[in-house]
Amino acid sequence: MNPESLTASAAINFGLAFIVLSLFSILKKQPSNASIFYARRLSKRQQVHVEQSFTVSRFLPSVAWIPRAFRVTEDEILDFGGLDALVVIRLFKFGISFFGFCSLIGLVLLLPINFGDQDEQSIIYHSMDPFTISNISAGSNRLWVHFTFLWLISFYGLYLLYKEYDEISVKRVQLLRNLRHRPDQFNVLVRQVPFCNEHNAYGCSVDHFFSKYHPNSYCSYQMIHDGKDIEDLMHQAKSLVRKIEGLRGRFTVKKCDKESLLLDVSQEDDVKIALFEEKLQEIVHKIRQLQNESMMKGKELPVAFVTFKSRHGAALVSQTQQHSHPLIWITEMAPEPRDVSWRSLEIPFRILPLCKIGAIVAASLLTIFFAVPVTAVQGIAKLEKLKKWFPPAMAMELIPGLSSIVTGYLPSAILKGFIYVVPFAMLGMAKLGGSISKSREEIKACNMVFYFLVGNVFFLSLISGSLLDELGEYFTHPRSIPSHLASAVSAQADFFVTYILTDGLSGFSLEILQPGLLVWDAVKSRTAGRGDEENPYLYSLPYFRIIPSVSLSILIGMVYAVVAPLMLPFLVGYFYLGYVVHVNQIEDVYETAYDTCGQYWPYVHHYIFIGIILMQITMIGLFGLKSKPSASIATIPLLLLTIMFNEYCKIRFLPTFRHYSVKDAIEHDEQDRNFGEMEINCENARSAYCQPTLQPPNFMASKSTSSQPLVSSL
């Protein structure tokens, strides 16, 4: 990639970010867009202040939302987003701290050294070569500066990782104490319940077992039932409700547009609405019949939520083996009621391994097939070589500047477009794995998406880029493949700069603008009508999409921190922009669908650890490639120390995120007894886990009777 292509990519991304963010600041001021840009606030019935009067300032860009994001404290994020949302913000803060430190040293120290030395045997093919380690002469003693820098930033990265792990684990313990009212602290999920032949049911088996072996702490149980028939009827009922609401909304729109044509249309719509309401009443009657206790008893599944009188009792049962046969009476702490994946609980336990294998195989196949577009993207980036294999590509040179745009901006933009759908596909595969909660499904999706991005976006971009760059030589001199792969990292520095620019400037800008919802809202308001305050576009924070993408950027930045320090300032800007964007989204847009109390952080820690390891392995190879074997050997102890540090963190912190300690459980029970809240919390826990298919049907619930408008003028 030549300097013109890199400049074109930077200019396009900066220009698009400026336009999109300016448009966002204008659209957010419009009262009609409150259901998009203030969805969380409206769902919580919070007051939203926007300009109602027609003023010039209402249609001018503003940056007021940026300093407001920096004023939001971590305690506020914890209050309205939970600890999981704070984990996302701390991930951005980690990037700012780490790459800010690296930039300070790298630009002052490494960049002049890289630019000042010149390897006469090397030929500069890429625009960033004069500023990378590839510009250092083989065997030069200047490589010891890079070696020192590698040790310094490695220890700083490990220090930050330890500090973050420690602080988040402390916040997790404090949050569990503050959330003593949560029913999951009193409940245990029990699977593989033996069938009681005497009473021809599973429920009595649960009651008999826990009454006998946990008589002092056992309280009650709630069986899980096969509710597929009821679920199908509920889907039909919801479909009818949507049709009824659509007809009423269409009637409202037509009433506003064409008063004279209302008579015949309204009569026809009234007939349809009456017919749909009659069908809805029939379905509701069928649902109530199926929910009858005698009907549901025959549909019991060997799964139950068991409630205990104390957190201490629940913690002991969830973390101990209940039977000498390890495949019956399998227990674990219950997830939050709103976090339960009811569909997965209906999957027989014996086929869960097959479901997990199927999800892994599907994710692996997607990763393999995705190699085709990644290789094609690298073909666009390597236009000079591509013209030898595809002569029509030479026509781009006839238009001035077109080749720079195609080779500079287009590859990273196309790649981001392809991988946008990957997290959603991976989440669908994770749901097939039979996880007991939505949070576990998203955590599994996080893992699959991260390794997908590392394999395809990082490694495959390196390999495919180098293959296309020296394709002919690979065929004629196959023994040169290892040396070419060793130098692929420095050769692809310019491509990853454009990737970071596109992912940060364009990606984060589109994230905050939400163009898809804007288009859908405009279409919906024209056809069916909608109430801004009553129907905000409420979605949960997509951890499975944000965490892997940001973690990949950290990995790329770490690998290139020593190789190409010129990339570091772009990464600092990337994390600052991501920070303000996601603080805004967490505060105003996304709802808290669940809170695992920080269980995402161990996975974030692991992703960053992989980045540090890859950085060190890359430098071992590059020191060897630069004829400095002593530096390569001296880096191996650093690699071993990093692995030992990670093992220590697993021992020190990981159990805190996986288990609910008996000590904390007893202390929380004592606090409840002192405040007289134990019986209330236990009683709430008994009735918290009711299957959606067993809840009374109420499809025509009335909307809030609050007459006070939520969107008010300043």
Side-chain angles (χ1 to χ4, degrees):
M1 186 180 295
N2 54 39
E4 291 79 11
S5 299
L6 188 59
T7 304
S9 175
I12 292 173
N13 280 296
F14 275 105
L16 284 176
F18 177 78
I19 294 172
V20 172
L21 293 177
S22 299
L23 186 60
F24 159 76
S25 66
I26 295 173
L27 293 176
K28 191 174 184 178
K29 300 176 186 178
Q30 313 309 313
S32 60
N33 295 325
S35 60
I36 297 175
F37 297 118
Y38 295 100
R40 190 197 70 84
R41 290 178 179 271
L42 292 177
S43 69
K44 300 295 183 182
R45 310 300 298 174
Q46 296 178 0
Q47 200 76 15
V48 175
H49 301 284
V50 295
E51 295 185 22
Q52 298 280 359
S53 59
F54 190 85
T55 59
V56 177
S57 61
R58 179 176 156 184
F59 299 95
L60 290 178
S62 171
V63 295
W65 61 277
I66 297 177
R68 184 170 66 88
F70 284 112
R71 289 194 297 268
V72 176
T73 64
E74 289 191 355
D75 290 336
E76 291 175 329
I77 294 173
L78 194 62
D79 181 51
F80 53 69
L83 188 54
D84 293 335
L86 184 60
V87 164
V88 174
I89 300 304
R90 294 296 285 262
L91 179 59
F92 284 105
K93 284 190 172 182
F94 176 91
I96 293 171
S97 300
F98 181 79
F99 291 110
F101 175 79
C102 294
S103 298
L104 185 63
I105 301 176
L107 295 180
V108 174
L109 191 62
L110 284 191
L111 199 62
I113 291 176
N114 291 342
F115 189 75
D117 201 359
Q118 176 64 49
D119 187 355
E120 296 179 355
Q121 296 179 352
S122 67
I123 301 175
I124 295 177
Y125 290 106
H126 308 277
S127 58
M128 289 188 64
D129 276 356
F131 307 100
T132 66
I133 198 173
S134 62
N135 200 43
I136 302 293
S137 302
S140 174
N141 287 327
R142 296 189 178 195
L143 290 169
W144 288 110
V145 179
H146 298 77
F147 171 81
T148 306
F149 182 64
L150 173 65
W151 275 74
L152 180 62
I153 65 174
S154 293
F155 279 119
Y156 184 66
L158 297 180
Y159 161 74
L160 287 179
L161 275 181
Y162 184 88
K163 178 174 173 289
E164 293 292 333
Y165 221 150
D166 182 54
E167 292 182 1
I168 292 176
S169 65
V170 171
K171 288 183 180 294
R172 172 178 167 82
V173 174
Q174 293 174 346
L175 186 62
L176 288 174
R177 182 176 66 248
N178 296 334
L179 297 177
R180 297 194 311 275
H181 62 278
R182 288 201 351 180
D184 55 299
Q185 297 184 6
F186 290 87
N187 278 273
V188 173
L189 176 65
V190 183
R191 311 185 80 165
Q192 290 297 88
V193 176
F195 188 73
C196 180
N197 293 318
E198 181 181 352
H199 299 91
N200 199 28
Y202 290 101
C204 60
S205 182
V206 174
D207 187 67
H208 174 74
F209 180 87
F210 286 99
S211 297
K212 181 178 181 179
Y213 296 105
H214 301 277
N216 296 326
S217 59
Y218 170 67
C219 179
S220 64
Y221 71 93
Q222 174 68 51
M223 296 303 300
I224 303 299
H225 299 81
D226 183 2
K228 293 180 180 178
D229 295 339
I230 298 177
E231 189 175 355
D232 291 339
L233 290 173
M234 285 185 169
H235 285 314
Q236 296 178 25
K238 290 177 182 178
S239 177
L240 288 173
V241 171
R242 286 193 296 268
K243 290 179 181 179
I244 293 171
E245 291 177 348
L247 287 172
R248 289 173 176 168
R250 188 174 66 176
F251 176 83
T252 304
V253 173
K254 290 180 179 179
K255 185 175 181 179
C256 297
D257 292 345
K258 296 183 179 180
E259 192 76 31
S260 59
L261 299 178
L262 268 178
L263 187 59
D264 294 336
V265 176
S266 62
Q267 289 178 350
E268 182 181 349
D269 287 347
D270 286 341
V271 172
K272 290 182 179 180
I273 290 173
L275 181 62
F276 288 150
E277 287 180 343
E278 184 179 351
K279 291 182 179 179
L280 181 62
Q281 291 299 325
E282 293 177 0
I283 292 175
V284 169
H285 181 66
K286 290 180 181 178
I287 291 174
R288 286 173 178 164
Q289 285 182 329
L290 291 175
Q291 287 177 339
N292 186 278
E293 184 176 353
S294 59
M295 295 286 291
M296 296 306 299
K297 190 172 183 180
K299 295 185 177 183
E300 285 185 350
L301 297 173
V303 185
F305 285 101
V306 180
T307 307
F308 292 84
K309 299 175 183 177
S310 66
R311 298 174 183 83
H312 177 214
L316 286 177
V317 171
S318 65
Q319 299 175 43
T320 54
Q321 184 174 323
Q322 301 301 311
H323 197 275
S324 57
H325 192 316
L327 295 181
I328 61 174
W329 298 110
I330 301 172
T331 59
E332 59 183 308
M333 285 300 292
E336 280 187 278
R338 59 179 177 174
D339 190 24
V340 175
S341 178
W342 298 101
R343 181 179 55 238
S344 297
L345 293 181
E346 297 177 7
I347 300 175
F349 188 81
R350 62 182 179 274
I351 69 170
L352 279 181
L354 295 178
C355 295
K356 294 177 181 178
I357 293 173
I360 294 173
V361 170
S364 301
L365 290 176
L366 179 62
T367 303
I368 294 171
F369 289 136
F370 202 83
V372 177
V374 172
T375 306
V377 164
Q378 289 299 325
I380 298 174
K382 304 291 178 180
L383 186 60
E384 293 299 324
K385 300 296 180 181
L386 183 64
K387 287 189 293 186
K388 297 179 180 179
W389 302 94
F390 189 65
M394 298 174 62
M396 286 189 296
E397 296 182 346
L398 300 177
I399 303 176
L402 180 60
S403 61
S404 297
I405 296 175
V406 171
T407 59
Y409 174 73
L410 206 55
S412 56
I414 293 175
L415 186 61
K416 281 299 298 178
F418 274 116
I419 65 177
Y420 179 79
V421 299
V422 170
F424 300 98
M426 291 296 188
L427 180 62
M429 296 173 190
K431 290 181 178 180
L432 300 176
S435 298
I436 65 170
S437 63
K438 301 169 189 175
S439 59
R440 290 193 186 181
E441 291 171 352
E442 291 204 26
I443 287 173
K444 285 185 178 180
C446 270
N447 277 327
M448 292 192 291
V449 174
F450 175 75
Y451 289 115
F452 173 92
L453 294 177
V454 171
N456 273 308
V457 176
F458 183 69
F459 281 114
L460 192 57
S461 291
L462 293 179
I463 297 172
S464 60
S466 60
L467 286 171
L468 288 168
D469 198 32
E470 299 289 346
L471 191 58
E473 191 170 347
Y474 276 127
F475 286 117
T476 56
H477 302 90
R479 293 183 180 179
S480 65
I481 291 178
S483 61
H484 281 284
L485 292 179
S487 62
V489 170
S490 58
Q492 289 292 95
D494 44 12
F495 169 76
F496 284 113
V497 168
T498 63
Y499 176 83
I500 293 296
L501 286 172
T502 304
D503 188 32
L505 293 173
S506 300
F508 290 150
S509 300
L510 293 175
E511 162 70 24
I512 199 170
L513 181 63
Q514 306 178 81
L517 278 183
L518 287 171
V519 173
W520 172 249
D521 182 69
V523 172
K524 187 178 178 181
S525 62
R526 293 290 182 183
T527 55
R530 50 128 177 93
D532 292 340
E533 297 180 11
E534 292 81 358
N535 300 302
Y537 294 96
L538 198 61
Y539 300 95
S540 61
L541 187 65
Y543 300 100
F544 63 96
R545 180 168 59 85
I546 297 170
I547 291 177
S549 178
V550 178
S551 299
L552 176 69
S553 298
I554 290 178
L555 183 147
I556 292 172
M558 286 181 166
V559 171
Y560 281 95
V562 185
V563 176
L566 193 61
M567 185 186 291
L568 296 173
F570 295 106
L571 285 159
V572 175
Y574 171 93
F575 286 103
Y576 267 114
L577 180 59
Y579 176 83
V580 297
V581 165
H582 286 89
V583 167
N584 177 87
Q585 299 298 84
I586 292 170
E587 184 181 18
D588 293 339
V589 178
Y590 291 125
E591 71 165 337
T592 304
Y594 57 81
D595 190 3
T596 66
C597 297
Q599 288 185 357
Y600 280 94
W601 184 257
Y603 299 91
V604 172
H605 173 94
H606 180 69
Y607 302 155
I608 299 174
F609 164 73
I610 291 176
I612 296 176
I613 290 294
L614 285 177
M615 173 181 66
Q616 295 167 357
I617 293 175
T618 300
M619 292 311 300
I620 290 174
L622 282 173
F623 285 142
L625 194 65
K626 287 294 182 178
S627 303
K628 208 68 176 174
S630 56
S632 294
I633 295 172
T635 307
I636 294 176
L638 177 63
L639 183 65
L640 297 177
L641 286 173
T642 304
I643 295 173
M644 291 171 60
F645 165 81
N646 187 59
E647 292 303 314
Y648 171 76
C649 286
K650 288 181 181 179
I651 299 171
R652 169 64 180 85
F653 297 114
L654 195 55
T656 304
F657 289 84
R658 288 186 173 175
H659 304 296
Y660 186 30
S661 72
V662 173
K663 171 184 173 296
D664 291 336
I666 293 176
E667 289 180 353
H668 298 168
D669 287 339
E670 290 177 351
Q671 288 179 348
D672 268 6
R673 292 189 183 99
N674 293 335
F675 289 105
E677 297 176 351
M678 178 64 85
E679 293 183 2
I680 297 175
N681 288 336
C682 182
E683 187 63 30
N684 292 335
R686 290 183 60 184
S687 58
Y689 292 89
C690 181
Q691 274 182 272
T693 52
L694 297 183
Q695 295 175 4
N698 185 17
F699 300 105
M700 302 297 289
S702 61
K703 294 178 181 178
S704 175
T705 57
S706 176
S707 59
Q708 182 180 4
L710 298 180
V711 181
S712 62
S713 59
L714 291 172

